[in-house]
Amino acid sequence: MAPCLPSDKLTTDTLIIGAGPSGLFTALLLLRYGISDVTIIDKYPIRTLTGHASGLQPRTLEILHTLGLKSQFDINAGGVADTAFWAPKDQDSGISRASAAPEVTNPTIYKRLIIQHQGRTEEVLNAELEKLGHHVKRPFEFLDYEYTEDKDHPVCAYVKDIARGQVQQYHCRYLIGADGANSVTRAASKIESTTHETSDSWLVADCAIKTDFPNIRRRCAIRTPAGNLMLIPSPRNTIRIYMLITNKQDLQDLAASKLDDLPAPLFKETQGRTRTTPLEILLKRLPPILKPYTIQITHIDWISKYVVGQKVIKSFTDNRNVLFVGDACHSHSPKAAQGMNTGIQDAYNLAWKLALILKGRANPSLLETYNSERCHIANQLIDFDTKFAKLFGDQSALNSGDFEKTWKEAQGFTSGLAQEYPAGPLVVPLPAGAASECPCPLIPGQRLAPMSLIRHIDGYHLTSLDTMASLGHFNEVVFAGDISREPRKSEFRRLYEFLTSPGSVLTKYNGLPPEGQDGWLPDDIFSSPPLPLSSGENGKVMNLYVVHTASRFDVELRPDFELWKWNFFEDEGGREHRMHGVETDGPIRVAIVRPDGIVGMVRDGDGGLGREVHRYFGGFMK
């Protein structure tokens, strides 16, 4: 290890290695959750400018919505709303469309993927960091880490300032490896990965085209004897082409090529060059696959090659203070647009837990749930991707329906809308027989599906994504039915008085609103900017959120409901009650929704509710 000068011994609460989407998102969330001492480093002198990960799934869009960022990704974006499957019609006629279907089938307000290259994603996230007074330190290379006797900052990370050639020590409370599939942080931890047997070679290109292919603005899976493609409609008149390479000579040429990330010459040869470029392979293989349709590439923005094997790290932590997110944890093929989305959801699961621990509000053991929950999802992803990749490349069954069937069965998982965390301290299963048949059931471990509501106090029409901003707060959501009529009126009043009493979890963990404030302020994306640690409002860790079916004109919130007046919402006609499986004339139902939008527990508002809610939070809160 190179010597470190005393002046180069630095401290930080959280050191993040890698400034790809998952690292940037982790940093941004921690800052929004009130953790100001965050340092993020990256070995590259500039951020990604184009290419790489591109698809943002509906669940990721919901998350971006709660941050007030979703609209920024709409600018000049492409999209995928439908998927078409193409296969050979016969030996001579070329391909024909076998079927087509909507891309997103689960309930959500976002019925498509947004397609933006990774450069745009990093641009937006970097700009948000800079608004909060932070930026990525470049170029800094992570070398190694070790544990010390320092109780406050037990991890010592060795980092090289590449420009100065000097090694620095960062003493931190937590170290997060977000440095990609070839993670140096993971290698330093010596945590092994489980590797699956498949390993595919791919070409990927972002390009402008001219073509008579009729489905160019749909995602298309094209499987032919001449080769296999995945076409993704990108911004404007561009597409992303994924080409699976199986020809032995092409594989050898790819392995030898060093021009994998360059827009090589399109229409003229470079004199003296003896190696085949990825672009030349793409131009050679594309026409026979798309026959009888024609395609002309008019411009290349980005082209690359890569070999993908399915693997997942055996633990997302080193069982102490080092954690991993994104491709440092899992790698797989690009066909289902899962890499960046899974990394962002890793960060979304981790950041609120880490923020509560750093604030001294939760026990460090809470991080064990990050490992168990995200490992569960990653292993499901790898199992799906292994099967999906094998079927995609199976040349012996091009007209089989198995590939399309597998895609349809996995839509809830790949969109992120039906992923489910296993039972644990943060996910309490429903009592036996309590599940109901409805479009958006309240299932612990799954996300709370977005609701369209009317804010009681002012009549604003909002969604729950608007009103449950990502600020690191739990939401105790009460589906109350018609609170304007007896006996429900009295029943709800008793429940509300209990939930806001000195012995309730809301009071126990929140305390009281800041002095001079006549109630808790709303957590909507329009009026809840990130709050500094010194703010009294930042002492709040949970909200009461009341959804009722009464007319807002028939119930006055003041003075009885003054404390949480901003969080009462009218469910007009009881639609959201029915969508979520709650009978409007049945028991009042309460759902504990975690800061990452996941339902943690569902119970009826009877006499045992308080005891169970206290037990839930007592398992991890201080």
Side-chain angles (χ1 to χ4, degrees), residues 179-405:
D179 46 344
N182 298 314
S183 171
V184 179
T185 318
R186 184 187 64 226
S189 74
K190 297 181 172 55
I191 299 175
E192 297 179 351
S193 298
T194 300
T195 303
H196 288 237
E197 59 186 23
T198 58
S199 182
D200 297 329
S201 295
W202 289 84
L203 283 181
V204 57
D206 289 336
C207 48
I209 60 165
K210 291 182 178 179
T211 184
D212 58 358
F213 181 65
N215 281 179
I216 203 64
R217 300 312 295 175
R218 292 188 173 107
R219 182 213 291 262
C220 292
I222 303 171
R223 303 165 64 237
T224 78
N228 296 346
L229 296 176
M230 185 76 77
L231 303 182
I232 310 292
S234 298
R236 297 176 182 174
N237 189 36
T238 63
I239 64 168
R240 169 163 288 192
I241 300 173
Y242 289 105
M243 178 180 287
L244 180 63
I245 303 300
T246 56
N247 178 276
K248 187 175 294 186
Q249 184 60 53
D250 289 345
L251 290 171
Q252 292 175 353
D253 290 340
L254 273 182
S257 174
K258 296 181 179 179
L259 302 177
D260 58 317
D261 247 350
L262 301 174
L266 270 177
F267 304 114
K268 62 182 180 180
E269 293 294 323
T270 301
Q271 290 185 349
R273 178 166 51 78
T274 59
R275 291 176 176 169
T276 302
T277 68
L279 179 59
E280 288 170 329
I281 296 173
L282 179 67
L283 293 174
K284 177 175 66 175
R285 297 297 177 193
L286 201 53
I289 296 175
L290 282 177
K291 178 186 174 182
Y293 304 101
T294 61
I295 186 169
Q296 178 186 359
I297 295 177
T298 60
H299 177 77
I300 290 280
D301 283 331
W302 174 74
I303 187 167
S304 189
K305 63 175 184 180
Y306 52 94
V307 178
V308 176
Q310 287 87 2
K311 64 181 180 180
V312 60
I313 193 171
K314 290 184 177 180
S315 174
F316 281 31
T317 81
D318 71 345
N319 294 319
R320 292 185 68 183
N321 293 59
V322 179
L323 308 110
F324 304 92
V325 294
D327 289 350
C329 307
H330 37 71
S331 60
H332 41 81
S333 72
K335 296 179 294 299
Q338 293 298 292
M340 179 169 61
N341 293 275
T342 305
I344 285 175
Q345 290 175 47
D346 289 343
Y348 201 48
N349 182 293
L350 171 63
W352 68 268
K353 299 172 181 177
L354 190 56
L356 284 176
I357 293 167
L358 289 170
K359 291 178 182 179
R361 306 302 301 273
N363 298 312
S365 60
L366 180 60
L367 290 178
E368 295 171 7
T369 65
Y370 170 68
N371 182 50
S372 60
E373 290 178 348
R374 294 312 296 171
C375 271
H376 177 76
I377 297 298
N379 280 295
Q380 286 185 308
L381 169 59
I382 297 304
D383 289 343
F384 156 74
D385 192 66
T386 302
K387 182 179 180 180
F388 195 66
K390 184 177 181 180
L391 289 170
F392 187 79
D394 186 359
Q395 294 295 98
S396 66
L398 296 176
N399 289 296
S400 166
D402 290 345
F403 176 71
E404 181 180 351
K405 180 182 177 183

Side-chain angles (χ1 to χ4, degrees), residues 48-61:
T48 301
L49 297 178
T50 188
H52 302 277
S54 65
L56 295 170
Q57 293 281 357
R59 177 55 185 152
T60 304
L61 298 181

Side-chain angles (χ1 to χ4, degrees), residues 15-180:
L15 177 63
I16 300 172
I17 312 299
S22 58
L24 291 170
F25 204 69
T26 304
L28 177 59
L29 289 171
L30 286 171
L31 292 168
R32 285 181 64 95
Y33 297 165
I35 304 303
S36 59
D37 192 4
V38 177
T39 303
I40 180 168
I41 69 167
D42 195 89
K43 66 180 179 180
Y44 297 106
I46 61 172
R47 65 169 175 82
T48 301
L49 297 178
T50 188
H52 302 277
S54 65
L56 295 170
Q57 293 281 357
R59 177 55 185 152
T60 304
L61 298 181
E62 291 180 357
I63 293 169
L64 292 171
H65 188 137
T66 66
L67 288 159
L69 297 179
K70 190 265 175 184
S71 61
Q72 296 190 42
F73 290 88
D74 289 321
I75 300 170
N76 294 328
V80 173
D82 293 335
T83 294
F85 299 86
W86 289 72
K89 185 176 182 180
D90 54 52
Q91 189 170 358
D92 300 318
S93 302
I95 58 173
S96 65
R97 194 174 76 193
S99 64
E103 178 74 23
V104 181
T105 56
N106 294 78
T108 179
I109 62 175
Y110 295 118
K111 289 293 187 180
R112 66 183 177 102
L113 283 71
I114 281 181
I115 306 299
Q116 283 279 22
H117 61 74
Q118 186 171 321
R120 175 59 181 163
T121 300
E122 292 187 18
E123 179 185 15
V124 172
L125 297 178
N126 273 289
E128 290 301 308
L129 286 178
E130 289 172 5
K131 288 178 185 177
L132 298 174
H134 285 66
H135 65 275
V136 178
K137 300 187 69 172
R138 302 176 183 273
F140 282 77
E141 181 183 12
F142 172 81
L143 301 175
D144 203 353
Y145 77 90
E146 62 185 1
Y147 284 97
T148 70
E149 298 299 319
D150 187 333
K151 293 182 179 179
D152 293 327
H153 299 86
V155 184
C156 176
Y158 295 93
V159 174
K160 184 176 182 180
D161 181 338
I162 297 175
R164 297 167 60 201
Q166 183 175 325
V167 176
Q168 300 176 340
Q169 291 182 30
Y170 269 95
H171 293 263
C172 53
R173 295 178 67 180
Y174 289 94
L175 175 68
I176 299 176
D179 46 344

Side-chain angles (χ1 to χ4, degrees), residues 32-33 62-63 65-68 348 448-451 453 462-479 522-526 528 543-547 567 569 591-598:
R32 285 181 64 95
Y33 297 165
E62 291 180 357
I63 293 169
H65 188 137
T66 66
L67 288 159
Y348 201 48
L448 176 69
M451 296 183 284
L453 302 167
L462 301 165
T463 72
S464 55
L465 299 177
D466 298 320
T467 60
M468 294 184 185
S470 287
L471 291 173
H473 297 160
F474 284 87
N475 288 287
E476 194 167 356
V477 183
V478 179
F479 290 86
D523 265 7
D524 62 66
I525 62 174
F526 313 108
S528 292
N543 296 305
L544 180 62
Y545 195 98
V546 177
V547 180
N567 282 12
F569 296 87
I592 304 299
V593 181
R594 306 175 350 174
D596 54 3
I598 300 297

